[in-house]
Amino acid sequence: MGKKEKFEDDGRQIANMNIEGMPWYDKERAMREKMGGDIPQEIETEKRKSPLDEMTKKERWVLYRSVMAACLVIGLIFAGAAFLFILFCVYVWL
């Protein structure tokens, strides 16, 4: 039994991991691969922007406040259900 040979990466691609729907999916890279390496100028210069980047401070504050209100409503529903379950257990079940 001889020595194991060291692995040397030759740069070949075994499987493409740029799959649409995955968090690391790169649309520009997929288009580049389909077109043989060339990307149209419009796509190359287009920057990816989050909708939160385009919002003003007031709009962002309204968004955060409404999200917190929705969470509070859901939390109150769960708390109310737990309270009703405890009442049921104390007065009806036992």
mmCIF file of all heavy atoms in Angstrom, residues 35-80:
data_model
loop_
_atom_site.group_PDB
_atom_site.id
_atom_site.type_symbol
_atom_site.label_atom_id
_atom_site.label_comp_id
_atom_site.label_asym_id
_atom_site.label_seq_id
_atom_site.Cartn_x
_atom_site.Cartn_y
_atom_site.Cartn_z
ATOM 1 N N MET A 35 -25.712 32.175 -22.489
ATOM 2 C CA MET A 35 -25.325 32.953 -23.658
ATOM 3 C C MET A 35 -23.868 32.746 -24.041
ATOM 4 O O MET A 35 -23.364 33.396 -24.933
ATOM 5 C CB MET A 35 -25.599 34.430 -23.420
ATOM 6 C CG MET A 35 -27.044 34.744 -23.172
ATOM 7 S SD MET A 35 -27.236 36.469 -22.901
ATOM 8 C CE MET A 35 -28.595 36.792 -23.978
ATOM 9 N N GLY A 36 -23.192 31.893 -23.351
ATOM 10 C CA GLY A 36 -21.807 31.616 -23.709
ATOM 11 C C GLY A 36 -20.832 32.653 -23.185
ATOM 12 O O GLY A 36 -19.790 32.897 -23.772
ATOM 13 N N GLY A 37 -21.151 33.304 -22.085
ATOM 14 C CA GLY A 37 -20.209 34.227 -21.470
ATOM 15 C C GLY A 37 -20.535 35.698 -21.653
ATOM 16 O O GLY A 37 -19.984 36.534 -20.977
ATOM 17 N N ASP A 38 -21.426 36.044 -22.561
ATOM 18 C CA ASP A 38 -21.754 37.449 -22.788
ATOM 19 C C ASP A 38 -23.088 37.799 -22.130
ATOM 20 O O ASP A 38 -24.069 37.084 -22.276
ATOM 21 C CB ASP A 38 -21.863 37.746 -24.283
ATOM 22 C CG ASP A 38 -20.530 37.563 -24.989
ATOM 23 O OD1 ASP A 38 -19.501 37.728 -24.310
ATOM 24 O OD2 ASP A 38 -20.532 37.262 -26.190
ATOM 25 N N ILE A 39 -23.093 38.915 -21.401
ATOM 26 C CA ILE A 39 -24.321 39.404 -20.779
ATOM 27 C C ILE A 39 -24.689 40.717 -21.455
ATOM 28 O O ILE A 39 -23.829 41.573 -21.651
ATOM 29 C CB ILE A 39 -24.114 39.661 -19.273
ATOM 30 C CG1 ILE A 39 -23.795 38.362 -18.562
ATOM 31 C CG2 ILE A 39 -25.334 40.291 -18.655
ATOM 32 C CD1 ILE A 39 -23.567 38.522 -17.094
ATOM 33 N N PRO A 40 -25.969 40.889 -21.794
ATOM 34 C CA PRO A 40 -26.374 42.179 -22.355
ATOM 35 C C PRO A 40 -26.068 43.329 -21.396
ATOM 36 O O PRO A 40 -26.086 43.158 -20.175
ATOM 37 C CB PRO A 40 -27.885 42.024 -22.540
ATOM 38 C CG PRO A 40 -28.127 40.561 -22.562
ATOM 39 C CD PRO A 40 -27.048 39.938 -21.750
ATOM 40 N N GLN A 41 -25.791 44.492 -21.936
ATOM 41 C CA GLN A 41 -25.373 45.647 -21.141
ATOM 42 C C GLN A 41 -26.433 46.045 -20.109
ATOM 43 O O GLN A 41 -26.102 46.437 -19.009
ATOM 44 C CB GLN A 41 -25.083 46.837 -22.077
ATOM 45 C CG GLN A 41 -24.435 48.010 -21.391
ATOM 46 C CD GLN A 41 -23.028 47.699 -20.911
ATOM 47 O OE1 GLN A 41 -22.388 46.784 -21.389
ATOM 48 N NE2 GLN A 41 -22.557 48.454 -19.951
ATOM 49 N N GLU A 42 -27.730 45.932 -20.471
ATOM 50 C CA GLU A 42 -28.789 46.354 -19.538
ATOM 51 C C GLU A 42 -28.760 45.524 -18.265
ATOM 52 O O GLU A 42 -28.941 46.030 -17.169
ATOM 53 C CB GLU A 42 -30.183 46.223 -20.167
ATOM 54 C CG GLU A 42 -30.359 46.858 -21.509
ATOM 55 C CD GLU A 42 -30.016 45.926 -22.651
ATOM 56 O OE1 GLU A 42 -30.423 44.754 -22.646
ATOM 57 O OE2 GLU A 42 -29.313 46.383 -23.551
ATOM 58 N N ILE A 43 -28.541 44.236 -18.392
ATOM 59 C CA ILE A 43 -28.550 43.351 -17.234
ATOM 60 C C ILE A 43 -27.288 43.558 -16.400
ATOM 61 O O ILE A 43 -27.323 43.527 -15.185
ATOM 62 C CB ILE A 43 -28.668 41.883 -17.682
ATOM 63 C CG1 ILE A 43 -29.999 41.684 -18.395
ATOM 64 C CG2 ILE A 43 -28.535 40.938 -16.510
ATOM 65 C CD1 ILE A 43 -30.148 40.355 -19.056
ATOM 66 N N GLU A 44 -26.184 43.790 -17.043
ATOM 67 C CA GLU A 44 -24.920 43.942 -16.337
ATOM 68 C C GLU A 44 -24.920 45.189 -15.455
ATOM 69 O O GLU A 44 -24.394 45.177 -14.345
ATOM 70 C CB GLU A 44 -23.782 44.014 -17.357
ATOM 71 C CG GLU A 44 -22.422 43.802 -16.741
ATOM 72 C CD GLU A 44 -21.380 43.631 -17.810
ATOM 73 O OE1 GLU A 44 -21.220 42.520 -18.315
ATOM 74 O OE2 GLU A 44 -20.750 44.656 -18.142
ATOM 75 N N THR A 45 -25.517 46.295 -15.932
ATOM 76 C CA THR A 45 -25.490 47.542 -15.169
ATOM 77 C C THR A 45 -26.604 47.632 -14.141
ATOM 78 O O THR A 45 -26.551 48.460 -13.246
ATOM 79 C CB THR A 45 -25.603 48.743 -16.123
ATOM 80 O OG1 THR A 45 -26.798 48.617 -16.888
ATOM 81 C CG2 THR A 45 -24.402 48.818 -17.043
ATOM 82 N N GLU A 46 -27.620 46.778 -14.261
ATOM 83 C CA GLU A 46 -28.746 46.827 -13.337
ATOM 84 C C GLU A 46 -28.300 46.376 -11.954
ATOM 85 O O GLU A 46 -27.735 45.313 -11.780
ATOM 86 C CB GLU A 46 -29.852 45.905 -13.855
ATOM 87 C CG GLU A 46 -31.080 45.905 -12.996
ATOM 88 C CD GLU A 46 -32.114 44.940 -13.552
ATOM 89 O OE1 GLU A 46 -32.288 44.907 -14.775
ATOM 90 O OE2 GLU A 46 -32.726 44.234 -12.743
ATOM 91 N N LYS A 47 -28.546 47.217 -10.947
ATOM 92 C CA LYS A 47 -28.174 46.883 -9.582
ATOM 93 C C LYS A 47 -29.361 46.238 -8.889
ATOM 94 O O LYS A 47 -30.502 46.584 -9.137
ATOM 95 C CB LYS A 47 -27.762 48.129 -8.808
ATOM 96 C CG LYS A 47 -26.457 48.714 -9.249
ATOM 97 C CD LYS A 47 -26.067 49.846 -8.350
ATOM 98 C CE LYS A 47 -24.710 50.391 -8.745
ATOM 99 N NZ LYS A 47 -24.310 51.487 -7.886
ATOM 100 N N ARG A 48 -29.050 45.315 -8.007
ATOM 101 C CA ARG A 48 -30.105 44.678 -7.235
ATOM 102 C C ARG A 48 -30.429 45.572 -6.053
ATOM 103 O O ARG A 48 -29.568 45.895 -5.250
ATOM 104 C CB ARG A 48 -29.649 43.322 -6.744
ATOM 105 C CG ARG A 48 -29.348 42.372 -7.851
ATOM 106 C CD ARG A 48 -28.897 41.079 -7.288
ATOM 107 N NE ARG A 48 -28.461 40.200 -8.358
ATOM 108 C CZ ARG A 48 -27.981 39.004 -8.183
ATOM 109 N NH1 ARG A 48 -27.858 38.536 -6.970
ATOM 110 N NH2 ARG A 48 -27.608 38.270 -9.185
ATOM 111 N N LYS A 49 -31.709 45.962 -5.959
ATOM 112 C CA LYS A 49 -32.126 46.814 -4.857
ATOM 113 C C LYS A 49 -33.234 46.125 -4.088
ATOM 114 O O LYS A 49 -34.114 45.514 -4.655
ATOM 115 C CB LYS A 49 -32.642 48.158 -5.368
ATOM 116 C CG LYS A 49 -31.559 49.091 -5.834
ATOM 117 C CD LYS A 49 -32.121 50.446 -6.108
ATOM 118 C CE LYS A 49 -31.026 51.417 -6.484
ATOM 119 N NZ LYS A 49 -31.553 52.744 -6.768
ATOM 120 N N SER A 50 -33.179 46.266 -2.802
ATOM 121 C CA SER A 50 -34.226 45.756 -1.939
ATOM 122 C C SER A 50 -35.352 46.788 -1.897
ATOM 123 O O SER A 50 -35.094 47.995 -1.953
ATOM 124 C CB SER A 50 -33.656 45.546 -0.544
ATOM 125 O OG SER A 50 -34.692 45.309 0.366
ATOM 126 N N PRO A 51 -36.598 46.356 -1.787
ATOM 127 C CA PRO A 51 -37.687 47.329 -1.659
ATOM 128 C C PRO A 51 -37.517 48.221 -0.435
ATOM 129 O O PRO A 51 -37.991 49.354 -0.426
ATOM 130 C CB PRO A 51 -38.937 46.455 -1.520
ATOM 131 C CG PRO A 51 -38.569 45.161 -2.118
ATOM 132 C CD PRO A 51 -37.101 45.001 -1.905
ATOM 133 N N LEU A 52 -36.823 47.737 0.603
ATOM 134 C CA LEU A 52 -36.605 48.562 1.789
ATOM 135 C C LEU A 52 -35.648 49.716 1.508
ATOM 136 O O LEU A 52 -35.686 50.732 2.194
ATOM 137 C CB LEU A 52 -36.064 47.712 2.936
ATOM 138 C CG LEU A 52 -37.059 46.709 3.537
ATOM 139 C CD1 LEU A 52 -36.362 45.878 4.598
ATOM 140 C CD2 LEU A 52 -38.256 47.411 4.114
ATOM 141 N N ASP A 53 -34.777 49.576 0.503
ATOM 142 C CA ASP A 53 -33.850 50.655 0.169
ATOM 143 C C ASP A 53 -34.564 51.850 -0.435
ATOM 144 O O ASP A 53 -34.101 52.978 -0.323
ATOM 145 C CB ASP A 53 -32.790 50.159 -0.820
ATOM 146 C CG ASP A 53 -31.871 49.140 -0.194
ATOM 147 O OD1 ASP A 53 -31.785 49.110 1.056
ATOM 148 O OD2 ASP A 53 -31.251 48.376 -0.950
ATOM 149 N N GLU A 54 -35.688 51.607 -1.081
ATOM 150 C CA GLU A 54 -36.412 52.677 -1.756
ATOM 151 C C GLU A 54 -37.417 53.371 -0.851
ATOM 152 O O GLU A 54 -38.022 54.355 -1.255
ATOM 153 C CB GLU A 54 -37.125 52.101 -2.977
ATOM 154 C CG GLU A 54 -36.164 51.490 -3.980
ATOM 155 C CD GLU A 54 -36.875 50.740 -5.071
ATOM 156 O OE1 GLU A 54 -38.122 50.710 -5.062
ATOM 157 O OE2 GLU A 54 -36.194 50.178 -5.934
ATOM 158 N N MET A 55 -37.622 52.869 0.362
ATOM 159 C CA MET A 55 -38.620 53.441 1.267
ATOM 160 C C MET A 55 -38.041 54.614 2.045
ATOM 161 O O MET A 55 -36.862 54.644 2.375
ATOM 162 C CB MET A 55 -39.107 52.383 2.257
ATOM 163 C CG MET A 55 -39.788 51.214 1.613
ATOM 164 S SD MET A 55 -40.210 49.981 2.817
ATOM 165 C CE MET A 55 -41.898 50.417 3.109
ATOM 166 N N THR A 56 -38.913 55.565 2.362
ATOM 167 C CA THR A 56 -38.509 56.670 3.221
ATOM 168 C C THR A 56 -38.563 56.208 4.674
ATOM 169 O O THR A 56 -39.085 55.129 4.970
ATOM 170 C CB THR A 56 -39.445 57.879 3.028
ATOM 171 O OG1 THR A 56 -40.764 57.501 3.441
ATOM 172 C CG2 THR A 56 -39.463 58.333 1.578
ATOM 173 N N LYS A 57 -38.039 57.034 5.574
ATOM 174 C CA LYS A 57 -38.056 56.667 6.988
ATOM 175 C C LYS A 57 -39.488 56.530 7.502
ATOM 176 O O LYS A 57 -39.788 55.629 8.277
ATOM 177 C CB LYS A 57 -37.327 57.726 7.815
ATOM 178 C CG LYS A 57 -35.848 57.551 7.856
ATOM 179 C CD LYS A 57 -35.239 58.492 8.864
ATOM 180 C CE LYS A 57 -33.773 58.199 9.038
ATOM 181 N NZ LYS A 57 -33.159 59.044 10.055
ATOM 182 N N LYS A 58 -40.362 57.409 7.042
ATOM 183 C CA LYS A 58 -41.754 57.368 7.501
ATOM 184 C C LYS A 58 -42.440 56.088 7.019
ATOM 185 O O LYS A 58 -43.148 55.432 7.790
ATOM 186 C CB LYS A 58 -42.497 58.592 6.980
ATOM 187 C CG LYS A 58 -43.888 58.736 7.533
ATOM 188 C CD LYS A 58 -44.537 60.016 7.080
ATOM 189 C CE LYS A 58 -45.915 60.149 7.702
ATOM 190 N NZ LYS A 58 -46.571 61.390 7.299
ATOM 191 N N GLU A 59 -42.221 55.724 5.766
ATOM 192 C CA GLU A 59 -42.824 54.499 5.230
ATOM 193 C C GLU A 59 -42.284 53.268 5.951
ATOM 194 O O GLU A 59 -43.034 52.333 6.240
ATOM 195 C CB GLU A 59 -42.535 54.370 3.733
ATOM 196 C CG GLU A 59 -43.258 55.384 2.881
ATOM 197 C CD GLU A 59 -42.802 55.354 1.443
ATOM 198 O OE1 GLU A 59 -41.643 54.951 1.178
ATOM 199 O OE2 GLU A 59 -43.599 55.747 0.578
ATOM 200 N N ARG A 60 -40.998 53.271 6.240
ATOM 201 C CA ARG A 60 -40.385 52.146 6.940
ATOM 202 C C ARG A 60 -40.954 52.013 8.348
ATOM 203 O O ARG A 60 -41.246 50.917 8.818
ATOM 204 C CB ARG A 60 -38.867 52.335 6.983
ATOM 205 C CG ARG A 60 -38.129 51.063 7.250
ATOM 206 C CD ARG A 60 -36.625 51.221 7.140
ATOM 207 N NE ARG A 60 -36.242 51.626 5.795
ATOM 208 C CZ ARG A 60 -35.345 52.571 5.531
ATOM 209 N NH1 ARG A 60 -34.741 53.204 6.502
ATOM 210 N NH2 ARG A 60 -35.051 52.869 4.294
ATOM 211 N N TRP A 61 -41.140 53.148 9.027
ATOM 212 C CA TRP A 61 -41.694 53.139 10.379
ATOM 213 C C TRP A 61 -43.132 52.607 10.364
ATOM 214 O O TRP A 61 -43.513 51.815 11.222
ATOM 215 C CB TRP A 61 -41.639 54.544 10.965
ATOM 216 C CG TRP A 61 -42.297 54.647 12.299
ATOM 217 C CD1 TRP A 61 -43.450 55.285 12.579
ATOM 218 C CD2 TRP A 61 -41.859 54.059 13.524
ATOM 219 N NE1 TRP A 61 -43.760 55.148 13.901
ATOM 220 C CE2 TRP A 61 -42.797 54.392 14.512
ATOM 221 C CE3 TRP A 61 -40.772 53.286 13.880
ATOM 222 C CZ2 TRP A 61 -42.687 53.978 15.830
ATOM 223 C CZ3 TRP A 61 -40.665 52.879 15.199
ATOM 224 C CH2 TRP A 61 -41.605 53.225 16.149
ATOM 225 N N VAL A 62 -43.927 53.012 9.364
ATOM 226 C CA VAL A 62 -45.297 52.511 9.241
ATOM 227 C C VAL A 62 -45.286 51.001 9.019
ATOM 228 O O VAL A 62 -46.098 50.270 9.587
ATOM 229 C CB VAL A 62 -46.042 53.245 8.098
ATOM 230 C CG1 VAL A 62 -47.360 52.573 7.781
ATOM 231 C CG2 VAL A 62 -46.268 54.693 8.461
ATOM 232 N N LEU A 63 -44.371 50.522 8.198
ATOM 233 C CA LEU A 63 -44.256 49.085 7.938
ATOM 234 C C LEU A 63 -43.917 48.335 9.218
ATOM 235 O O LEU A 63 -44.563 47.332 9.556
ATOM 236 C CB LEU A 63 -43.187 48.823 6.877
ATOM 237 C CG LEU A 63 -42.898 47.355 6.583
ATOM 238 C CD1 LEU A 63 -44.079 46.725 5.868
ATOM 239 C CD2 LEU A 63 -41.645 47.224 5.767
ATOM 240 N N TYR A 64 -42.919 48.788 9.967
ATOM 241 C CA TYR A 64 -42.526 48.115 11.205
ATOM 242 C C TYR A 64 -43.671 48.124 12.215
ATOM 243 O O TYR A 64 -43.920 47.138 12.897
ATOM 244 C CB TYR A 64 -41.292 48.781 11.826
ATOM 245 C CG TYR A 64 -40.026 48.601 11.020
ATOM 246 C CD1 TYR A 64 -39.024 49.553 11.058
ATOM 247 C CD2 TYR A 64 -39.818 47.482 10.228
ATOM 248 C CE1 TYR A 64 -37.861 49.401 10.329
ATOM 249 C CE2 TYR A 64 -38.656 47.321 9.494
ATOM 250 C CZ TYR A 64 -37.686 48.281 9.551
ATOM 251 O OH TYR A 64 -36.542 48.122 8.825
ATOM 252 N N ARG A 65 -44.341 49.250 12.323
ATOM 253 C CA ARG A 65 -45.444 49.370 13.275
ATOM 254 C C ARG A 65 -46.586 48.418 12.920
ATOM 255 O O ARG A 65 -47.160 47.769 13.793
ATOM 256 C CB ARG A 65 -45.933 50.818 13.317
ATOM 257 C CG ARG A 65 -46.815 51.108 14.510
ATOM 258 C CD ARG A 65 -47.162 52.556 14.618
ATOM 259 N NE ARG A 65 -47.905 52.941 13.425
ATOM 260 C CZ ARG A 65 -48.038 54.177 12.991
ATOM 261 N NH1 ARG A 65 -47.473 55.165 13.642
ATOM 262 N NH2 ARG A 65 -48.724 54.448 11.910
ATOM 263 N N SER A 66 -46.910 48.308 11.647
ATOM 264 C CA SER A 66 -47.994 47.416 11.241
ATOM 265 C C SER A 66 -47.606 45.949 11.428
ATOM 266 O O SER A 66 -48.454 45.124 11.790
ATOM 267 C CB SER A 66 -48.413 47.689 9.799
ATOM 268 O OG SER A 66 -47.334 47.510 8.923
ATOM 269 N N VAL A 67 -46.340 45.615 11.216
ATOM 270 C CA VAL A 67 -45.883 44.241 11.460
ATOM 271 C C VAL A 67 -45.989 43.920 12.943
ATOM 272 O O VAL A 67 -46.449 42.832 13.326
ATOM 273 C CB VAL A 67 -44.434 44.051 10.952
ATOM 274 C CG1 VAL A 67 -43.836 42.767 11.478
ATOM 275 C CG2 VAL A 67 -44.405 44.076 9.445
ATOM 276 N N MET A 68 -45.593 44.840 13.799
ATOM 277 C CA MET A 68 -45.683 44.614 15.236
ATOM 278 C C MET A 68 -47.140 44.500 15.687
ATOM 279 O O MET A 68 -47.460 43.701 16.567
ATOM 280 C CB MET A 68 -44.970 45.738 16.007
ATOM 281 C CG MET A 68 -43.460 45.708 15.839
ATOM 282 S SD MET A 68 -42.708 44.127 16.235
ATOM 283 C CE MET A 68 -43.021 44.030 17.967
ATOM 284 N N ALA A 69 -48.030 45.282 15.095
ATOM 285 C CA ALA A 69 -49.449 45.187 15.435
ATOM 286 C C ALA A 69 -50.005 43.824 15.045
ATOM 287 O O ALA A 69 -50.781 43.212 15.795
ATOM 288 C CB ALA A 69 -50.232 46.294 14.739
ATOM 289 N N ALA A 70 -49.614 43.326 13.883
ATOM 290 C CA ALA A 70 -50.068 42.002 13.452
ATOM 291 C C ALA A 70 -49.552 40.925 14.401
ATOM 292 O O ALA A 70 -50.289 39.999 14.766
ATOM 293 C CB ALA A 70 -49.609 41.729 12.025
ATOM 294 N N CYS A 71 -48.294 41.034 14.826
ATOM 295 C CA CYS A 71 -47.733 40.070 15.777
ATOM 296 C C CYS A 71 -48.457 40.138 17.117
ATOM 297 O O CYS A 71 -48.704 39.104 17.750
ATOM 298 C CB CYS A 71 -46.245 40.324 15.983
ATOM 299 S SG CYS A 71 -45.252 39.946 14.528
ATOM 300 N N LEU A 72 -48.806 41.332 17.549
ATOM 301 C CA LEU A 72 -49.525 41.503 18.812
ATOM 302 C C LEU A 72 -50.903 40.853 18.743
ATOM 303 O O LEU A 72 -51.327 40.191 19.692
ATOM 304 C CB LEU A 72 -49.646 42.991 19.144
ATOM 305 C CG LEU A 72 -50.314 43.335 20.466
ATOM 306 C CD1 LEU A 72 -49.457 42.810 21.617
ATOM 307 C CD2 LEU A 72 -50.505 44.823 20.589
ATOM 308 N N VAL A 73 -51.596 41.010 17.629
ATOM 309 C CA VAL A 73 -52.919 40.401 17.471
ATOM 310 C C VAL A 73 -52.800 38.879 17.552
ATOM 311 O O VAL A 73 -53.582 38.220 18.254
ATOM 312 C CB VAL A 73 -53.566 40.843 16.133
ATOM 313 C CG1 VAL A 73 -54.778 39.999 15.804
ATOM 314 C CG2 VAL A 73 -53.935 42.302 16.184
ATOM 315 N N ILE A 74 -51.834 38.303 16.852
ATOM 316 C CA ILE A 74 -51.653 36.850 16.891
ATOM 317 C C ILE A 74 -51.289 36.389 18.304
ATOM 318 O O ILE A 74 -51.795 35.380 18.790
ATOM 319 C CB ILE A 74 -50.580 36.423 15.862
ATOM 320 C CG1 ILE A 74 -51.106 36.665 14.454
ATOM 321 C CG2 ILE A 74 -50.200 34.960 16.047
ATOM 322 C CD1 ILE A 74 -50.084 36.486 13.361
ATOM 323 N N GLY A 75 -50.428 37.138 18.974
ATOM 324 C CA GLY A 75 -50.058 36.801 20.347
ATOM 325 C C GLY A 75 -51.250 36.855 21.286
ATOM 326 O O GLY A 75 -51.406 35.991 22.166
ATOM 327 N N LEU A 76 -52.106 37.858 21.125
ATOM 328 C CA LEU A 76 -53.296 37.960 21.970
ATOM 329 C C LEU A 76 -54.266 36.805 21.709
ATOM 330 O O LEU A 76 -54.917 36.311 22.639
ATOM 331 C CB LEU A 76 -53.991 39.305 21.746
ATOM 332 C CG LEU A 76 -53.266 40.521 22.329
ATOM 333 C CD1 LEU A 76 -53.967 41.805 21.924
ATOM 334 C CD2 LEU A 76 -53.184 40.402 23.849
ATOM 335 N N ILE A 77 -54.372 36.378 20.469
ATOM 336 C CA ILE A 77 -55.240 35.239 20.151
ATOM 337 C C ILE A 77 -54.725 33.985 20.851
ATOM 338 O O ILE A 77 -55.503 33.238 21.466
ATOM 339 C CB ILE A 77 -55.334 35.042 18.628
ATOM 340 C CG1 ILE A 77 -56.142 36.178 18.004
ATOM 341 C CG2 ILE A 77 -55.943 33.684 18.285
ATOM 342 C CD1 ILE A 77 -56.135 36.200 16.498
ATOM 343 N N PHE A 78 -53.417 33.742 20.805
ATOM 344 C CA PHE A 78 -52.856 32.576 21.489
ATOM 345 C C PHE A 78 -53.018 32.685 23.003
ATOM 346 O O PHE A 78 -53.345 31.692 23.670
ATOM 347 C CB PHE A 78 -51.376 32.406 21.141
ATOM 348 C CG PHE A 78 -51.147 31.640 19.875
ATOM 349 C CD1 PHE A 78 -50.790 32.299 18.712
ATOM 350 C CD2 PHE A 78 -51.294 30.270 19.846
ATOM 351 C CE1 PHE A 78 -50.585 31.595 17.536
ATOM 352 C CE2 PHE A 78 -51.084 29.547 18.686
ATOM 353 C CZ PHE A 78 -50.728 30.215 17.520
ATOM 354 N N ALA A 79 -52.814 33.869 23.556
ATOM 355 C CA ALA A 79 -52.963 34.053 24.997
ATOM 356 C C ALA A 79 -54.418 33.832 25.406
ATOM 357 O O ALA A 79 -54.697 33.208 26.445
ATOM 358 C CB ALA A 79 -52.491 35.439 25.408
ATOM 359 N N GLY A 80 -55.344 34.340 24.612
ATOM 360 C CA GLY A 80 -56.772 34.140 24.900
ATOM 361 C C GLY A 80 -57.150 32.671 24.830
ATOM 362 O O GLY A 80 -57.923 32.178 25.671
#
